Amino acid sequence: MDLAKRLDQPVVLVGLMGVGKSTVGRRLAKRLGLPFVDSDSAIEDAAGYTAAEVFERYGEQDFRDGERRLVARLIDGEIRVIATGGGAYVDARTRQLLNERAITVWLDAPVEILAERTARRNTRPLLKNGDPKGTLERLAEERRPSYEEAHIHVKSGDGAHKDVVDAIIQALEEHLAKRSAA
């Protein structure tokens, strides 16, 4: 695809848990003919534990520090599509690094859809408090200012993943056009 040849930075998907960063990221990478990396999977490979176990064993601060170092390594080298964990981009240093050295895409979906999706698996440490929807609402409110700093904002819902991929590709085209005109 012509777009992939024009990309000079990795494309990094950010947003709340359950928004579809991994699923959409895989499909976007396939469409672009680029490699795909899920940062949570890379953390699991490095640590030998699931991302949730690392989070629970070492706490959020240590998890975020390790996540930032990993993301820094992932954005170096070949151009690829990267799906980050829901909280990665909220960390100010990680957000600055990504905004300087990647094209950031905020995937955004209504909390109701996120609550339904995340209820399918009990692997989210932040949602194990008895009120997952309330937690997602709080996180959406708290994290919105950070996510709004992404280069691109794509809304997704309960439609087809293909439609979200199409919207990202169109937004990437527009982003590159604006950048080259500047």
Side-chain angles (χ1 to χ4, degrees):
M1 174 173 255
D2 179 54
L3 173 60
K5 293 178 184 159
R6 290 183 285 125
L7 290 171
D8 60 352
Q9 296 176 310
V11 176
V12 179
L13 304 180
V14 303
L16 281 174
M17 62 185 95
V19 77
K21 298 179 300 288
S22 298
T23 303
V24 169
R26 274 187 206 87
R27 290 173 186 228
L28 177 64
K30 186 174 183 178
R31 280 268 300 274
L32 294 173
L34 295 173
F36 171 76
V37 175
D38 182 299
S39 69
D40 280 349
S41 295
I43 287 169
E44 292 170 5
D45 291 344
Y49 302 110
T50 67
E53 288 171 331
V54 174
F55 193 97
E56 289 170 0
R57 284 175 184 245
Y58 301 104
E60 186 170 5
Q61 187 59 51
D62 283 352
F63 179 86
R64 297 291 175 218
D65 289 343
E67 185 176 51
R68 181 177 39 263
R69 290 190 302 273
L70 174 80
V71 167
R73 284 194 306 272
L74 292 177
I75 60 175
D76 278 341
E78 68 182 327
I79 304 301
R80 61 179 118 197
V81 175
I82 302 167
T84 61
Y89 195 70
V90 178
D91 179 90
R93 292 185 296 172
T94 302
R95 186 170 59 254
Q96 180 180 354
L97 176 74
L98 289 173
N99 282 344
E100 289 173 356
R101 297 181 27 209
I103 300 171
T104 51
V105 179
W106 172 26
L107 290 184
D108 186 16
V111 168
E112 293 73 29
I113 291 172
L114 301 178
E116 180 213 320
R117 289 179 185 168
T118 57
R120 295 177 194 158
R121 292 192 329 234
N122 188 19
T123 59
R124 317 276 183 165
L126 292 175
L127 298 183
K128 292 183 178 181
N129 66 355
D131 182 17
K133 185 173 183 232
T135 299
L136 285 165
E137 287 169 344
R138 180 182 52 79
L139 289 172
E141 187 66 28
E142 289 173 359
R143 293 177 176 183
R144 178 169 298 281
S146 297
Y147 292 148
E148 287 175 340
E149 292 183 33
H151 299 117
I152 295 169
H153 181 191
V154 172
K155 293 189 183 261
S156 77
D158 55 3
H161 289 117
K162 177 193 176 305
D163 295 340
V164 178
V165 171
D166 290 344
I168 294 170
I169 288 173
Q170 180 179 341
L172 284 168
E173 291 281 6
E174 292 168 6
H175 178 76
L176 291 177
K178 283 184 205 167
R179 223 175 52 180
S180 65

